[in-house]
Amino acid sequence: MMRLPWFDHRRPRSVAEVSKILAGEGPQAMLIAGGTDLLPNMKRRHQTPGVLVSLKGIESLRKANGTLGSGLTLSDILGMEKIPSGLRQAAAQVATPHLRNMGTLGGNLCLDTRCTYYNQNYEWRQAIDFCLKKDGDTCWVATASKRCVAVSSTDTAPALIALNAEIKLESASGERWIPVASLYQNDGIDYLSRKPDEILTAVKVPDGWKSTYWKLRRRGAFDFPILGVAAALRFSSGNTIEDARFALGAAASRPFLVEKAGAYLKGKRLTDDTIAEASAIIASRAKPMDNTDMDLYWRKEVADDFAGYALRELRGDDMRDTRLRIARHLV
Ligand SMILES: Cc1cc2nc3c(=O)[nH]c(=O)nc-3n(C[C@H](O)[C@H](O)[C@H](O)COP(=O)(O)OP(=O)(O)OC[C@H]3O[C@@H](n4cnc5c(N)ncnc54)[C@H](O)[C@@H]3O)c2cc1C
Ligand code: SF4
């Protein structure tokens, strides 16, 4: 059985109190929300914070007044009426109902990156002399690389990037709003631009987008994404596309926007030809590494299909059968 390392536990009642603790404790403190990612990681000794600062006692983080509080659980979000469908589909496919009842939106956005050589227990990692991301100095996926290429595996981030959402970061020295896309860096170790003393407190999701999210995973019941395609479109009169945003998840160490596909579709309509061209552009940006589930060449090929499914769904095609086939691994 894997045991948790020792740590102090704090349960503040306000964001101001959290900021004060983080400022005082420095890098030995970590935030914990639902704990569904952090606690397993601590058991594997990926992170060994001396102090855990719980966000569970802060009511304001569980509010949805024009913005979504970062402490809302994924189940809370699924229970809300006015959630864009892309975010709803992403949240609905995170983990299992139990984990969605505990796991929060903020925790999902700050999820650690993943890799076959990293998501293992301490003894397993010790047997390969560890790796660059934790306790070692070689990347076993790209041995010449000085950068860790662990995969961003959050489902809600690509959905929120496509929706052009923003997040609020608060600390003892102030607050700032940034686009969700700017939270991420293409570095498996230093994957967030968030400063260690900053708390992600809220998410602002603009209205007016028609959106969807398609996820590739081994098991339909639950599994981390090995590809996520998020799409959001705004239409002007006559079904012409006024604005288009596409984001890929689980295809690099960060979720990212595929600007070229958005630019290509602006001013056009969704026809079989424009869908094929936009899908090819999106797929050309997916450059998966061999450090997660399933064959990487196949994962890259599937990106083209998934982008096409997303666009056809946004055109109004009935894609329910395709979703069902994917859930039953018949792609
Ligand atoms: C079996 C299993 C399957 C899973 N499948 C998926 C999946 O398919 N897709 C997916 O996306 N995730 C998956 N997860 C991961 C996890 O359950 C979710 O990502 C969940 O939303 C994480 O939220 P949390 O509140 O539990 O985060 P925590 O574990 O509490 O925190 C995660 C990280 O975020 C930081 N953090 C938390 N809240 C904040 C905040 N407000 N501000 C700044 N930093 C913060 C923590 O310090 C920690 O580094 C899975 C986990 C398990 C165990
Ligand atoms: S990508 Fe390389 S450095 Fe990063 S976790 Fe995997 S093996 Fe370790």
Side-chain angles (χ1 to χ4, degrees), residues 71 96 113 123 125-126 129 193 198 224 232 242 297-298 318:
T96 62
T113 53
E123 292 73 21
R125 294 190 295 114
Q126 188 177 39
D129 206 13
S193 65
E198 283 181 320
F224 280 95
E242 191 181 283
Y297 299 104
W298 182 74
D318 185 349

Side-chain angles (χ1 to χ4, degrees), residues 114-118 130-134 138-142 147-151 188-189 291:
R114 297 179 60 81
C115 173
T116 322
Y117 297 92
Y118 172 72
F130 302 102
C131 78
L132 203 57
K133 184 160 161 73
K134 179 71 181 153
T138 304
C139 171
W140 298 113
V141 179
R147 183 173 68 83
C148 163
V149 291
V151 187
I189 297 172
N291 58 350

Side-chain angles (χ1 to χ4, degrees), residues 187-203:
D187 180 323
I189 297 172
D190 202 8
Y191 58 95
L192 294 180
S193 65
R194 161 192 170 257
K195 298 186 192 109
D197 64 341
E198 283 181 320
I199 309 141
L200 195 168
T201 53
V203 181

